[in-house]
Amino acid sequence: MRLCDEVRTTAAATAARATSVRVDPDAVARVQLADADRPQLDPARHYLEGSAADVATYLLTLDTINFGSGWFPTLRKRPNCSGYFTVAWGVADRFRAHGPWSNRELRAMRADEIADALGQNRDHELMALFAQALRQLGSFLGERSALDLVAQAGASAERLAELLASGMAAYADRGFYKRAQIVASDLALAGVARFADLGRLTIFADNLVPHVLRLDGVLVYDQRLAAHIDAERLLRPGPQEREIRACAVNACTAIAARLEISEQELDHLLWTRGGAPSYKAVPRHRCRTIWY
Ligand SMILES: Nc1nc2c(c(CN[C@H]3C=C[C@H](O)[C@@H]3O)cn2[C@@H]2O[C@H](COP(=O)(O)O)[C@@H](O)[C@H]2O)c(=O)[nH]1
């Protein structure tokens, strides 16, 4: 089964038997999106000014460590930056100062080096996970560049996601493949790759999009789960956080179809909406995982 079909099938099955989360069909029908500008990458907090090859390497490097939301409250953030933007900006500044890490340097990546680049404590456990994921990327690439990998995917975002998910345990987010899918989306947003099938992608199931859907009434959490999250207690990886992500994927397939936009575009609109103060004021679920 193709990757995007696996995600949709898994999400529909998980949502159908979910016991802690349900999708409110009336709220699905009411979702409206402001005419937010088209998805774009912030050019200050992302490295977009280099050659297409270096920007592609930057985004593949960044999306390999585009996780850790369960630890973000413990990260040292840059001013006015969320956890993700702190990481994105830190990697961008490393590329501006020293250029990309070579594949050989990725294979030798240590927690100390990535922690220093991101301005974090060297003994932070997320830095060890980032280093491990980057070492995997260096081994997976071998002597290939990011653009070599894109060429191998033959203008297919789904094929690129499949190459990543089958090539690295760090991308094998079974049933969701959030980071494997977002790589193609980010490469396309940066204009360094073109894909004919971005419409095949699902949303990128993280913790922010479901949070926006919850506050907009689309996802309804049972009382115990809601109380756990509102108390800012960590959610263990497992059935409940998978139900949250699966119901978000499932709901967004329906919302995107109704609004006649792609799930990739819907994801960005909802994710961007999640950056608003009213959404940030309410706790979202925190799960310490390498998937998001
Ligand atoms: N669904 C979805 N999840 C996304 C992104 C992005 C960034 N995408 C870039 C592309 C275009 C935009 O302009 C962004 O610059 C990060 N994340 C996830 O969010 C979480 C962090 O959140 P916070 O704690 O607030 O930093 C974390 O799990 C991270 O993995 C996205 O687009 N969609």
Side-chain angles (χ1 to χ4, degrees), residues 3-291:
L3 182 139
C4 297
D5 295 326
E6 179 191 328
V7 176
R8 286 195 178 78
T9 303
T10 306
T14 303
R17 62 171 184 270
T19 56
S20 300
V21 183
R22 67 180 174 82
V23 176
D24 179 338
D26 297 336
V28 166
R30 284 196 306 269
V31 170
Q32 288 305 326
L33 292 168
D35 293 337
D37 45 350
R38 292 191 56 75
Q40 60 177 354
L41 290 162
D42 176 301
R45 298 184 285 186
H46 296 91
Y47 176 76
L48 304 177
E49 66 266 29
S51 65
D54 284 355
V55 170
T57 300
Y58 164 76
L59 290 169
L60 182 54
T61 302
L62 172 60
D63 281 330
T64 297
I65 58 173
N66 184 355
F67 65 87
S69 56
W71 288 270
F72 285 172
T74 68
L75 279 198
R76 196 177 297 129
K77 307 268 197 340
R78 286 199 177 198
N80 304 315
C81 281
S82 68
Y84 164 77
F85 283 113
T86 294
V87 173
W89 204 346
V91 177
D93 282 352
R94 195 278 174 187
F95 273 54
R96 287 167 180 142
H98 307 291
W101 281 291
S102 67
N103 293 356
R104 176 189 304 277
E105 287 168 329
L106 289 174
R107 286 191 285 270
M109 182 60 68
R110 291 172 295 102
D112 291 1
E113 180 169 3
I114 190 64
D116 292 352
L118 302 181
Q120 304 302 322
N121 291 333
R122 291 181 156 194
D123 59 357
H124 195 299
E125 68 177 316
L126 185 57
M127 298 304 116
L129 294 170
F130 279 0
Q132 183 182 27
L134 292 170
R135 288 195 297 272
Q136 267 188 40
L137 177 64
S139 301
F140 166 70
L141 287 172
E143 292 319 305
R144 290 175 297 176
S145 68
L147 285 183
D148 289 338
L149 189 63
V150 170
Q152 211 176 314
S156 169
E158 185 168 24
R159 181 79 194 107
L160 178 57
E162 288 165 342
L163 288 171
L164 293 164
S166 60
M168 287 176 275
Y171 275 85
D173 176 14
R174 289 191 58 73
F176 299 103
Y177 299 111
K178 175 252 176 186
R179 290 195 287 108
Q181 294 191 79
I182 207 169
V183 169
S185 175
D186 283 346
L187 290 168
L189 285 177
V192 295
R194 294 175 61 82
F195 299 102
D197 61 344
L198 285 172
R200 285 277 299 159
L201 301 180
T202 71
I203 61 156
F204 314 120
D206 69 325
N207 69 332
L208 187 51
V209 171
H211 176 66
V212 172
L213 294 170
R214 180 195 178 200
L215 268 58
D216 288 356
V218 173
L219 296 189
V220 182
Y221 298 175
D222 79 4
Q223 197 279 331
R224 270 166 39 87
L225 177 60
H228 187 93
I229 293 169
D230 293 347
E232 301 189 68
R233 291 167 52 197
L234 285 177
L235 195 58
R236 278 194 310 278
Q240 288 180 311
E241 65 89 18
R242 290 182 71 84
E243 284 186 12
I244 290 173
R245 294 210 287 164
C247 288
V249 170
N250 204 37
C252 286
T253 298
I255 295 167
R258 186 174 66 77
L259 295 177
E260 296 180 340
I261 59 173
S262 71
E263 283 152 275
Q264 180 222 9
E265 287 167 314
L266 176 62
D267 175 276
H268 185 268
L269 290 165
L270 293 173
W271 191 81
T272 305
R273 175 183 288 178
S278 57
Y279 290 92
K280 293 190 80 116
V282 177
R284 66 181 87 152
H285 86 265
R286 296 280 178 197
C287 178
R288 290 190 170 179
T289 170
I290 65 166
W291 303 138

